[in-house]
Amino acid sequence: DTGVSQDPRHKITKRGQNVTFRCDPISEHNRLYWYRQTLGQGPEFLTYFQNEAQLEKSRLLSDRFSAERPKGSFSTLEIQRTEQGDSAMYLCASSLSGRWSEQFFGPGTRLTVL
Amino acid sequence: KNEVEQSPQNLTAQEGEFITINCSYSVGISALHWLQQHPGGGIVSLFMLSSGKKKHGRLIATINIQEKHSSLHITASHPRDSAVYICAVGYGNKLVFGAGTILRVKS
């Protein structure tokens, strides 16, 4: 257990539905990252927050995706109008700020879109 | 071309063998990370390094900044080492990951 938790661990949904995932980082970590991992591939960066500010978003993050970290603590990632191509593992990580800070990963949320 | 390339993609070893996984990258980096991922998804950081060599138990990581290359070595491999090993480079404020090496150690 790294101290980063994600909920739910698994989500099965039908195409077109909206889904929301939650990440609770290590409490003193001010940086929070979202990654997506498809089968057989390494994770890909989606977005990151420093405290409550979303500082960078990948081009992978289409307008159907939105992420928030309203109080600089937990974060949510919402996918609207899900597509089968959204099926993946969604990973959250947190760290202190600074270029040498280690990222601690949560267990991930596995999304299956039918 | 991927910015982070790992080799081999798959590796099967007998218990006790010395294992090497390689990582090459093409972008300027702040640090290089070696991560371990077990079935079910959980990722654990093994090493973070920017130069030279680090050792932790049976694991050794090296990096050559000039050649943009890193290796992860496992000495006296054991079936519990079976996992996916992922190389990632710090690029700006994010990590860029390789595709991972699937390691299976047979007893």
Side-chain angles (χ1 to χ4, degrees):
Chain A
D1 183 358
T2 62
V4 179
S5 61
Q6 291 187 246
D7 183 68
R9 295 290 306 276
H10 303 272
K11 178 72 177 178
I12 299 173
T13 191
K14 292 182 179 177
R15 188 163 50 101
Q17 297 295 304
N18 299 343
V19 294
T20 300
F21 310 141
R22 177 180 169 124
C23 171
D24 286 89
I26 293 171
S27 58
E28 59 266 31
H29 285 181
N30 51 4
R31 284 195 175 175
L32 187 148
Y33 304 81
W34 285 100
Y35 298 95
R36 181 173 69 186
Q37 185 177 27
T38 53
L39 202 60
Q41 299 298 315
E44 296 172 295
F45 171 79
L46 292 178
T47 188
Y48 98 96
F49 293 83
Q50 173 116 351
N51 300 313
E52 66 276 7
Q54 188 174 19
L55 295 187
E56 189 172 346
K57 292 196 295 185
S58 164
R59 284 172 291 178
L60 292 174
L61 214 65
S62 77
D63 56 6
R64 295 185 299 105
F65 288 70
S66 62
E68 294 184 338
R69 195 183 182 198
K71 297 181 181 178
S73 56
F74 73 91
S75 176
T76 57
L77 177 69
E78 181 183 16
I79 309 174
Q80 295 183 326
R81 305 181 304 281
T82 53
E83 302 173 355
Q84 287 185 323
D86 297 331
S87 296
M89 176 76 84
Y90 289 84
L91 294 161
C92 172
S94 71
S95 75
L96 297 170
S97 54
R99 61 190 291 185
W100 303 115
S101 294
E102 181 182 353
Q103 292 187 25
F104 292 80
F105 286 82
T109 294
R110 182 167 295 284
L111 173 66
T112 302
V113 182
L114 302 176
Chain B
K1 187 182 187 311
N2 291 334
E3 293 166 315
V4 181
E5 297 274 0
Q6 282 186 241
S7 63
Q9 290 183 324
N10 290 278
L11 181 56
T12 300
Q14 284 297 131
E15 183 174 359
E17 285 185 357
F18 180 83
I19 289 164
T20 296
I21 300 171
N22 295 299
C23 175
S24 296
Y25 55 92
S26 59
V27 294
I29 67 169
S30 54
L32 185 139
H33 304 250
W34 282 103
L35 308 163
Q36 182 190 57
Q37 186 172 31
H38 282 284
I43 292 177
V44 175
S45 176
L46 298 174
F47 294 103
M48 183 170 64
L49 66 166
S50 59
S51 64
K53 176 179 170 179
K54 286 191 176 181
K55 184 175 189 290
H56 185 251
R58 296 180 294 106
L59 302 178
I60 303 166
T62 64
I63 188 169
N64 184 317
I65 296 292
Q66 287 74 30
E67 294 186 3
K68 295 187 175 178
H69 181 269
S70 175
S71 293
L72 175 69
H73 306 285
I74 304 175
T75 62
S77 59
H78 190 276
R80 65 175 174 265
D81 297 326
S82 298
V84 178
Y85 291 84
I86 303 173
C87 170
V89 298
Y91 184 60
N93 291 306
K94 61 182 184 248
L95 293 179
V96 178
F97 296 80
T101 294
I102 302 171
L103 172 65
R104 181 183 171 211
V105 182
K106 298 194 288 187
S107 56

